[in-house]
Amino acid sequence: MSQLLFLSRWFPYPPTNGSKLRVYNLLRILAARHDVTLITFAEPDEPVDATGLREICRAVHVVRRKPFVPDRMSARLALLNPRPRSVVETWSAEFASLIERELARGAFDAVIASQFDTAVYAPCFTGYPAIFEEIELGLMHGQYAGASDIAHRLRYGLTWAKHSRYLSSLLNHYAAATVASRQEQDLVRGIAPGYRAVEIIPNGVHLPDYAGITAQPAPGSLIFTGAFTYHANYAAAAWFVGEVYGRIKAQYPLATLTITGDHADLPLPPAPDVTLTGFVPDVRPRIAGSWAAVVPMLQGGGTRLKILEAMALGVPVVSTTKGAEGLDAEPGRHLLIADAPAEFADATVGLLRDPALRRALTEEAGRLVAGRYDWAAIAPQFLALVDGVISPGPQPNPAAQAGAHRPAHVEAP
């Protein structure tokens, strides 16, 4: 049984958002075949109970994450640093020391760094086979590519160029990397054309976690699951409420909308019959009790676990093209796709009025999730990737530069 060191940007239990769900399910998959030590960040005020994680991990270490505040003076000064200023500003000496301490204690076979915020600690484990788990560039690239004026294009263009150069260099520390979709894979290969070890490990759901969640769907009820602390979710909700929902109400007056997640005191356009629940510990019963899930995403990257969760719960989905990006879902068969406000409203109203359409979509979507997006189906691919990277004991990483060595201690970059 191999020894793995797993680094997580998110404290993954309970798994209350898409990133936490991915990390938690990957840990469950790995723990079935390997001994896993977890070093994880947690938000400054986040309640932390590692009991559920210690059931699957050999050891769990938690570090409070320093939030990135762009207007802080040190963050402004970091604009002059060749590294992204979020890296400079949020670097944790405690996190780095924990990595080095664990590696010094045991004979680890590989390191898995989940998301960019932990991948940047690669200098702490140079010399160990490593995987950069889930690179996501879609949101940042979309801001740059979709900038509507010169000022924003310059701002986002500089951010994209700086991040791209840094990420391309960072990949030299990793024997392999993963992304959640073909679109993300293309973006990575675009900034690092010489780095080919980028494998698609899609997001998924653990279907047994959804099997016992049943509720009678309320006619006319719509749900959008997404915390506004992620700007793409807020932009989606604002667009839907401001541009689409009124058109739905005009045709189907009994329609209601529930939006779950931390809303961060951000305003939405005024509209009737809209419920903002705030944070919900378990969103599954609310999804299951809805007639349809709406995913009006306009930006972002990766793939939408909110779509897969709805499909797993037998709830049909109406999404934008961007919302369904990266999923092998066929419009009209597994879900409905619309991008213009009137088209999105018409598709939603048609679904609200047609129980047979609802039934057909949910049946096909259920088969899609079971065959392609259940973690039981994804696990063999991920485990094969890990096995291919593991080597017997600490050795120079084949993706690292020749002559690299593991430092005794790494301070802030």
Side-chain angles (χ1 to χ4, degrees), residues 165-187:
R165 284 195 299 269
Y166 180 74
L167 179 59
S168 179
S169 175
L170 187 64
L171 285 171
N172 289 324
H173 292 272
Y174 290 93
T178 70
V179 292
S181 70
R182 178 73 62 185
Q183 290 81 1
E184 294 287 352
Q185 185 184 59
D186 291 342
L187 286 172

Side-chain angles (χ1 to χ4, degrees), residues 101-118:
R101 189 183 76 190
E102 286 299 314
L103 291 176
R105 279 182 176 178
F108 283 90
D109 297 286
V111 179
I112 301 173
S114 173
Q115 298 193 343
F116 179 78
D117 291 53
T118 67

Side-chain angles (χ1 to χ4, degrees), residues 259-332:
I259 302 176
T260 67
D262 181 358
H263 300 108
D265 296 324
L266 293 172
L268 290 174
D273 301 318
V274 176
T275 301
L276 304 178
T277 68
F279 172 75
V280 175
D282 186 355
V283 75
R284 293 172 300 172
R286 290 181 180 267
I287 298 173
S290 302
W291 190 264
V294 294
V295 187
M297 306 300 290
L298 305 175
Q299 54 189 260
T303 55
R304 316 297 166 208
L305 268 167
K306 53 174 61 74
I307 289 181
L308 298 179
E309 285 199 293
M311 289 178 170
L313 290 164
V315 177
V317 175
V318 185
S319 175
T320 56
T321 301
K322 184 66 177 177
E325 185 178 81
L327 296 176
D328 294 333
E330 183 180 331

Side-chain angles (χ1 to χ4, degrees), residues 80-349:
L80 303 176
N81 195 294
R83 296 175 178 86
R85 59 188 184 134
S86 63
V87 175
V88 178
E89 179 67 7
T90 64
W91 180 269
S92 169
E94 181 183 1
F95 199 83
S97 295
L98 271 171
I99 295 171
E100 293 167 0
R101 189 183 76 190
E102 286 299 314
L103 291 176
R105 279 182 176 178
F108 283 90
D109 297 286
V111 179
I112 301 173
S114 173
Q115 298 193 343
F116 179 78
D117 291 53
T118 67
V120 300
Y121 290 87
C124 299
F125 48 83
T126 298
Y128 287 84
I131 297 173
F132 186 158
E133 208 297 296
E134 197 189 12
I135 303 174
E136 185 175 317
L137 294 170
L139 178 60
M140 185 178 295
H141 181 264
Q143 289 175 327
Y144 164 54
S148 57
D149 56 68
I150 294 176
H152 282 90
R153 189 162 184 82
L154 177 62
R155 173 190 171 190
Y156 291 131
L158 291 172
T159 300
W160 172 250
K162 189 175 185 179
H163 189 87
S164 298
R165 284 195 299 269
Y166 180 74
L167 179 59
S168 179
S169 175
L170 187 64
L171 285 171
N172 289 324
H173 292 272
Y174 290 93
T178 70
V179 292
S181 70
R182 178 73 62 185
Q183 290 81 1
E184 294 287 352
Q185 185 184 59
D186 291 342
L187 286 172
V188 175
R189 288 178 171 172
I191 67 171
Y195 188 87
R196 308 306 298 173
V198 186
E199 187 157 347
I200 300 172
I201 303 293
N203 279 317
V205 290
H206 183 58
L207 281 179
D209 291 343
Y210 298 83
I213 308 298
T214 58
Q216 185 64 34
S221 58
L222 306 173
I223 190 167
F224 174 67
T225 57
F228 292 177
T229 49
Y230 179 48
H231 177 74
N233 282 334
Y234 174 61
W239 178 77
F240 182 79
V241 174
E243 302 294 332
V244 180
Y245 185 59
R247 299 171 189 264
I248 294 172
K249 292 287 283 184
Q251 301 179 62
Y252 197 98
L254 296 180
T256 62
L257 173 64
T258 297
I259 302 176
T260 67
D262 181 358
H263 300 108
D265 296 324
L266 293 172
L268 290 174
D273 301 318
V274 176
T275 301
L276 304 178
T277 68
F279 172 75
V280 175
D282 186 355
V283 75
R284 293 172 300 172
R286 290 181 180 267
I287 298 173
S290 302
W291 190 264
V294 294
V295 187
M297 306 300 290
L298 305 175
Q299 54 189 260
T303 55
R304 316 297 166 208
L305 268 167
K306 53 174 61 74
I307 289 181
L308 298 179
E309 285 199 293
M311 289 178 170
L313 290 164
V315 177
V317 175
V318 185
S319 175
T320 56
T321 301
K322 184 66 177 177
E325 185 178 81
L327 296 176
D328 294 333
E330 183 180 331
R333 179 183 177 190
H334 302 113
L335 77 175
L336 301 180
I337 297 288
D339 292 305
E343 294 172 354
F344 202 112
D346 289 345
T348 305
V349 170

